[in-house]
Amino acid sequence: MKVLGFDTSSIVATAAVVDDEKLVCECIINNKKNHSEKLLPLISEMLKNAEVALEELNGIAVAQGPGSFTGLRIGAATAKGLAYALGIPLLGVPTLDGLAYNVKHFRGLICPILNARRNQVYTALYEGGLDSGFRRITDYMAVNIGKILDRIQSTGKRVIFLGDGLDVYRQHIAAQLKDKGVFASQAFNMPSAASVAMLGLEKLRKGLEQSAFEFTPLYVRRSQAEIQYEKRKRERSN
Amino acid sequence: MTESCVVLAIETSCDETSAAVVENGRYVLSNIIASQVDLHKKFGGVVPEIASRKHLEMVIPVIHEALEASGAALSNIDVLAVTKGPGLVGALLVGVSAVKAIAFARKLPLIGVNHIEGHIYANFLEHRELNPPFVCLIVSGGHTQLVYMKDHGCYEIMGQTRDDAAGEAFDKAARALNLGYPGGPVIDKLAREGDPNKIEFPRAYLEEGSLDFSFSGVKTALLNYINSKKQKNQEIVVEDVAAGYQEAIVDVLVDKTFQAVKYKKVNVLTLAGGVAANSRLRQKLVERGEEEGVKILYPGIHLCTDNAAMIASAAFYRYKKGDIADLTLNAHARLSL
């Protein structure tokens, strides 16, 4: 089986094809963002160079979120269009799962962090280095960095960090966790469509497919307008 | 026309997710519109993030329904089209991304359509004998423009609003009068019960000969009127206010439109956009058209508001000219004709 995967949830645009035996091809661009203009040309070129025909694909995997709202929608709408037009399943892969997969052999905790702005990060905790690979042990959340670091510290375990949240919080993490905290190499620090496609392929094998009709991103956060509306409503009722 | 050309188009520029199948630019086989208006009501206007999320949820179901209703399968489609702007960029991106992916997967030609151009083409669906040249008045929540359409794909903008769009002026008035959102239909309805001459609102004609519009003054006058009535503890007769306010806007639209018709010496005037559904505007244009020997054409109400059939019609003529987009096609918040 062959799965095309992609991730446009951050500044990185990445696409890959995997099959049952191997990673067939991957492309990662970590420089300047214009996913709407670049994603499909990038996929088209990659498939051409790898000599993979669209008709060979058995599923479309996409980073489901959290991440940049617009980036997630460009990825999701593209995935929906492809899955619908090719008549194949859509496979949503949580962005944080994809990142954790990059370093799943780490013995200890894995903590991907994405910059969520407004003094928050999108994060979740995973146990790595298991026989089965890795396992998520918390919800996906949008929290202040201090909150997740306190939680990690209370376990006393070693933890590997990765993701674009490090651009902002690397010093902060190092200062609080000292030698318990390590950082992934730059080669694994960003979303990789190979990881997204591999996790998509696992879902496909397990029959956990979604359809282009009902797939929806994991935004984790509501829109700012809704948050403010609820706040005003609460203030009025007090 | 010897051969049939079937276009599937998608429109997601504001708060309607729409997909349509149109044959040869003139025959609507299906036109599905999923409106989000109820989602945005409590916020008093369209919230871009909420609109974008809803578009993403609806885009495939709406496309599928449009195909089913048309009796065509995706394999019967010859050309794919999508609105590329102007509009809410996050909303546009949903349609653009999905349609590009379908075009890529099915190896179909892709056409990016300007939303305003789409509104003009709604007239070609309603009036199958219509051909350029003509003058078109485009009035909606986001746009107010007088356009001379010389030929397919060939436009001259003769005038446009310098501040608020006409539809925006209705929305803002409705908000000030606590009539909810959107404002156009409710003002139209109330105005029918009111006297347009009871309250005099200002009409902004701008410099001599200008075909531009300005609706911020009439809006300010309305806010001042409401405030002064409230301060004096006097009753506001909403029907009369609505009628007077609407009359001020409609008078300027009608006068400038007929000036444009005169400059271009055409005998056909078309109307487009959501505010083209306004009954007073239609009535006054038709009356004036009868006096001056100008034929007034407008689309049915379901084709005035945002819909994908009009996008498909415009795309057909773009396709015939060979104006085909590649996979780098992007969405643009601002885009002129």
Side-chain angles (χ1 to χ4, degrees), chain B residues 89-120:
Chain B
V89 75
L92 289 162
L93 277 171
V94 173
V96 167
S97 301
V99 173
K100 280 197 325 187
I102 297 172
F104 172 60
R106 305 299 290 233
K107 300 171 180 72
L108 288 172
L110 170 72
I111 314 288
V113 175
N114 182 306
H115 180 79
I116 309 289
E117 183 178 32
H119 273 305
I120 299 173

Side-chain angles (χ1 to χ4, degrees), chain A:
Chain A
M1 286 198 284
K2 274 197 181 73
V3 168
L4 165 68
F6 42 89
D7 184 330
T8 52
S9 63
S10 66
I11 189 167
V12 176
T14 174
V17 175
V18 299
D19 67 18
D20 295 306
E21 274 94 45
K22 62 179 189 288
L23 168 62
V24 179
C25 52
E26 182 177 29
C27 178
I28 302 178
I29 295 175
N30 181 20
N31 190 28
K32 294 184 186 167
K33 185 159 98 171
N34 196 337
H35 298 331
S36 166
E37 278 184 22
K38 287 181 184 161
L39 178 63
L40 271 172
L42 182 154
I43 291 171
S44 171
E45 268 311 294
M46 182 184 75
L47 293 179
K48 203 162 85 189
N49 286 326
E51 296 181 33
V52 175
L54 282 166
E55 293 70 27
E56 293 174 46
L57 298 174
N58 302 96
I60 304 292
V62 66
Q64 190 168 5
S68 140
F69 292 164
T70 300
L72 289 178
R73 277 191 291 268
I74 290 170
T78 304
K80 284 183 179 214
L82 290 173
Y84 177 71
L86 295 170
I88 57 177
L90 200 163
L91 308 147
V93 174
T95 314
L96 296 163
D97 292 11
L99 271 169
Y101 188 93
N102 291 1
V103 293
K104 67 173 182 160
H105 300 295
F106 181 80
R107 288 179 192 280
L109 296 178
I110 302 168
C111 182
I113 54 172
L114 300 172
N115 186 353
R117 308 268 158 13
R118 303 179 196 278
N119 290 316
Q120 287 189 323
V121 292
Y122 293 123
T123 190
L125 280 180
Y126 299 80
E127 254 179 313
L130 307 173
D131 291 341
S132 57
F134 73 123
R135 183 170 68 97
R136 182 165 58 88
I137 55 173
T138 68
D139 282 339
Y140 306 109
M141 46 195 159
V143 289
N144 186 279
I145 188 74
K147 207 164 167 183
I148 188 77
L149 292 183
D150 290 347
R151 180 155 180 184
I152 289 167
Q153 219 164 12
S154 71
T155 67
K157 289 184 181 165
R158 286 181 78 226
V159 53
I160 187 166
F161 290 90
L162 76 165
D164 67 11
L166 295 188
D167 299 349
V168 183
Y169 296 109
R170 188 182 286 262
Q171 309 299 335
H172 188 118
I173 293 165
Q176 186 166 343
L177 294 184
K178 312 266 170 12
D179 60 343
K180 292 279 189 202
V182 298
F183 300 100
S185 118
Q186 287 297 345
F188 302 106
N189 191 37
M190 65 193 126
S192 145
S195 296
V196 173
M198 288 300 293
L199 287 169
L201 183 60
E202 281 179 23
K203 281 185 97 168
L204 187 61
R205 284 204 198 103
K206 288 181 191 154
L208 298 172
E209 47 202 55
Q210 288 149 296
S211 93
F213 285 82
E214 62 221 28
F215 176 79
T216 186
L218 282 168
Y219 292 106
V220 175
R221 245 191 215 156
R222 286 178 305 161
S223 71
Q224 207 51 32
E226 285 168 292
I227 294 169
Q228 272 160 5
Y229 179 83
E230 293 299 327
K231 200 174 143 202
R232 277 200 306 272
K233 218 168 88 178
R234 272 200 309 275
E235 280 166 4
R236 253 182 269 139
S237 64
N238 282 343

Side-chain angles (χ1 to χ4, degrees), chain B residues 13-14 85-89 92 143 332-334:
Chain B
S13 69
C14 190
L88 301 171
V89 75
L92 289 162
H143 314 281
H332 303 276
R334 291 173 168 277

Side-chain angles (χ1 to χ4, degrees), chain B residues 141-259:
Chain B
H143 314 281
T144 304
Q145 283 186 335
L146 271 168
V147 173
Y148 174 56
M149 181 169 179
K150 198 174 162 194
D151 196 355
H152 290 288
C154 185
Y155 308 98
E156 179 192 332
I157 296 169
M158 302 181 70
Q160 57 196 324
T161 183
R162 293 182 185 171
D163 39 59
D164 294 346
E168 210 176 343
F170 284 126
D171 285 342
K172 285 177 176 173
R175 200 178 308 161
L177 294 165
N178 287 320
L179 300 174
Y181 165 87
V186 61
I187 299 247
D188 188 359
K189 196 168 161 230
L190 284 169
R192 273 177 240 161
E193 314 289 318
D195 179 353
N197 301 316
K198 206 72 163 272
I199 308 152
E200 178 80 11
F201 286 103
R203 284 139 172 85
Y205 288 98
L206 306 174
E207 338 53 272
E208 180 77 33
S210 170
L211 294 176
D212 281 351
F213 301 95
S214 168
F215 296 113
S216 64
V218 65
K219 176 197 68 192
T220 308
L222 172 71
L223 296 177
N224 290 342
Y225 175 84
I226 295 172
N227 282 338
S228 88
K229 281 284 177 190
K230 276 184 183 160
Q231 268 169 12
K232 292 180 205 154
N233 242 334
Q234 289 171 334
E235 193 203 349
I236 295 172
V237 184
V238 185
E239 290 81 2
D240 291 339
V241 176
Y245 185 81
Q246 175 178 274
E247 201 74 0
I249 292 172
V250 166
D251 277 353
V252 177
L253 287 171
V254 171
D255 277 354
K256 300 234 171 194
T257 300
F258 277 90
Q259 267 183 56

